Amino acid sequence: MRLDKYICSCGSISRRDVKKLIKQGLVTVNGTVCKKADEQIAEDSVVAVGRESLVYRKYVYFMLNKPSGYVSAVYDKKYPVVTELVGEAYAHFEVFPVGRLDIDTEGLLMLTNDGVFTHEMTSPRKNVYKRYFAVLDKPMEEHDIAEFAKGMEFKDFIAKSAKLEITDNPREVYIEIAEGKFHQVKRMCERVGKTVIYLKRVAVGGVFLDAGLSPGEFREMTEDELCILGYKSENIR
Ligand code: URA
């Protein structure tokens, strides 16, 4: 692997800065200064910038507070995409969204470059629940709880049993679903005669959206959070 790519993969130094540091003779590989950005080095090399040794990693896992107006994709002809919200320093990781939120939905969206992780989180067979906060046009009623709990049959899929919690304001609810089908929450609410007017994902499989993240902000997920999601991989950091 190229030396500059290796250093970029260790953390938040942009490719441009990496090139400068290498040119300035501040980078060592196995104890020897290396001034060639395109030097091929082994993944197990000991690379340091100044006195700081770097730890190479292949995969990254981000938690994003998705703002409304962004498409959950890496490219769109018309609208901005969520991957644009990840800073330049991380661009080389080429992350993609873990599943999808509608363009007008806000909240917890994970981004990664790890395809296995994405599969584990999105496969309906894995039953990773997703929790949403929704504001409706009309109040939910107690009997709707049973409708959600029964599961619902749609022409393209069967929604498993879902949990509906009505707050003190019955137009504001929490809904937990096991899948993540297209417009699933909106369609389940329509089935009981209510229209979703605001939707935010607040948790995925026991990991809650960090309240410190404003819409559009992201941070790396912690090992504890990845562990809560049951994702054990030797690739994590
Ligand atoms: N259900 C929806 O209807 N929309 C989303 O964005 C996510 C779940």
Side-chain angles (χ1 to χ4, degrees), residues 69-101:
Y70 281 76
V71 176
S72 301
V74 295
Y75 170 76
D76 192 83
K77 271 195 206 147
K78 208 165 158 194
Y79 297 104
V81 293
V82 288
T83 49
E84 286 170 28
L85 295 164
V86 170
E88 196 212 324
Y90 293 105
H92 62 281
F93 282 113
E94 298 182 340
V95 295
F96 42 83
V98 178
R100 256 177 297 181
L101 291 177

Side-chain angles (χ1 to χ4, degrees), residues 42-104:
E43 273 187 19
D44 61 357
S45 304
V46 178
V47 176
V49 176
R51 284 161 171 243
E52 194 192 341
S53 295
L54 304 178
V55 180
Y56 170 73
R57 59 206 176 124
K58 196 166 177 177
Y59 298 120
V60 284
Y61 308 85
F62 297 129
M63 167 189 288
L64 168 73
N65 185 354
K66 178 193 172 295
S68 177
Y70 281 76
V71 176
S72 301
V74 295
Y75 170 76
D76 192 83
K77 271 195 206 147
K78 208 165 158 194
Y79 297 104
V81 293
V82 288
T83 49
E84 286 170 28
L85 295 164
V86 170
E88 196 212 324
Y90 293 105
H92 62 281
F93 282 113
E94 298 182 340
V95 295
F96 42 83
V98 178
R100 256 177 297 181
L101 291 177
D102 296 338
I103 188 163
D104 57 348

Side-chain angles (χ1 to χ4, degrees), residues 101-102 105 132 183-186 199:
L101 291 177
D102 296 338
T105 301
Y132 293 86
H183 294 334
Q184 182 169 341
V185 171
K186 292 174 184 165
L199 189 61

Side-chain angles (χ1 to χ4, degrees), residues 9-10 18 36 39 47 55 61 75 90 125 128 143 164 177 179 182 193 200 213-214 228 235-236:
S9 303
C10 295
V18 165
K36 280 166 66 191
E39 180 82 8
V47 176
V55 180
Y61 308 85
Y75 170 76
Y90 293 105
R125 271 185 287 134
V128 178
H143 61 85
L164 169 66
I177 57 174
E179 311 84 358
F182 189 57
K200 176 176 183 175
L213 293 175
S214 299
I228 289 169
N235 296 324
I236 296 175

Side-chain angles (χ1 to χ4, degrees), residues 9-215:
S9 303
C10 295
S12 52
I13 312 178
S14 73
R15 196 169 285 241
R16 201 166 359 116
D17 288 345
V18 165
K19 286 206 169 25
K20 272 194 220 152
L21 292 167
I22 296 172
K23 261 202 185 141
Q24 288 166 1
L26 290 171
V27 173
T28 57
V29 178
N30 299 325
T32 306
V33 171
C34 181
K35 290 191 167 183
K36 280 166 66 191
D38 63 355
E39 180 82 8
Q40 290 294 325
I41 64 163
E43 273 187 19
D44 61 357
S45 304
V46 178
V47 176
V49 176
R51 284 161 171 243
E52 194 192 341
S53 295
L54 304 178
V55 180
Y56 170 73
R57 59 206 176 124
K58 196 166 177 177
Y59 298 120
V60 284
Y61 308 85
F62 297 129
M63 167 189 288
L64 168 73
N65 185 354
K66 178 193 172 295
S68 177
Y70 281 76
V71 176
S72 301
V74 295
Y75 170 76
D76 192 83
K77 271 195 206 147
K78 208 165 158 194
Y79 297 104
V81 293
V82 288
T83 49
E84 286 170 28
L85 295 164
V86 170
E88 196 212 324
Y90 293 105
H92 62 281
F93 282 113
E94 298 182 340
V95 295
F96 42 83
V98 178
R100 256 177 297 181
L101 291 177
D102 296 338
I103 188 163
D104 57 348
T105 301
E106 296 183 359
L108 174 52
L109 183 64
M110 295 184 287
L111 302 171
T112 185
N113 54 352
D114 182 344
V116 175
F117 177 75
T118 303
H119 175 72
E120 302 245 321
M121 293 304 118
T122 54
S123 165
R125 271 185 287 134
K126 305 275 174 181
N127 275 324
V128 178
Y129 81 83
K130 285 103 192 165
R131 183 173 171 88
Y132 293 86
F133 169 72
V135 180
L136 310 162
D137 67 333
K138 290 194 235 24
M140 274 289 181
E141 292 144 284
E142 284 299 313
H143 61 85
D144 294 325
I145 295 173
E147 292 305 310
F148 275 73
K150 273 194 262 171
M152 292 180 191
E153 196 170 336
F154 296 96
K155 60 178 189 304
D156 51 336
F157 79 104
I158 296 174
K160 291 181 193 157
S161 173
K163 189 167 157 197
L164 169 66
E165 289 167 35
I166 306 176
T167 69
D168 292 344
N169 173 353
R171 284 182 52 230
E172 297 185 357
V173 297
Y174 287 94
I175 294 169
E176 278 179 25
I177 57 174
E179 311 84 358
K181 299 286 183 189
F182 189 57
H183 294 334
Q184 182 169 341
V185 171
K186 292 174 184 165
R187 290 163 77 188
M188 291 181 86
C189 291
E190 285 297 340
R191 180 62 62 85
V192 294
K194 282 88 179 167
T195 299
V196 171
I197 54 178
Y198 172 78
L199 189 61
K200 176 176 183 175
R201 183 153 71 188
V202 293
V204 172
V207 170
F208 282 76
L209 177 65
D210 185 332
L213 293 175
S214 299

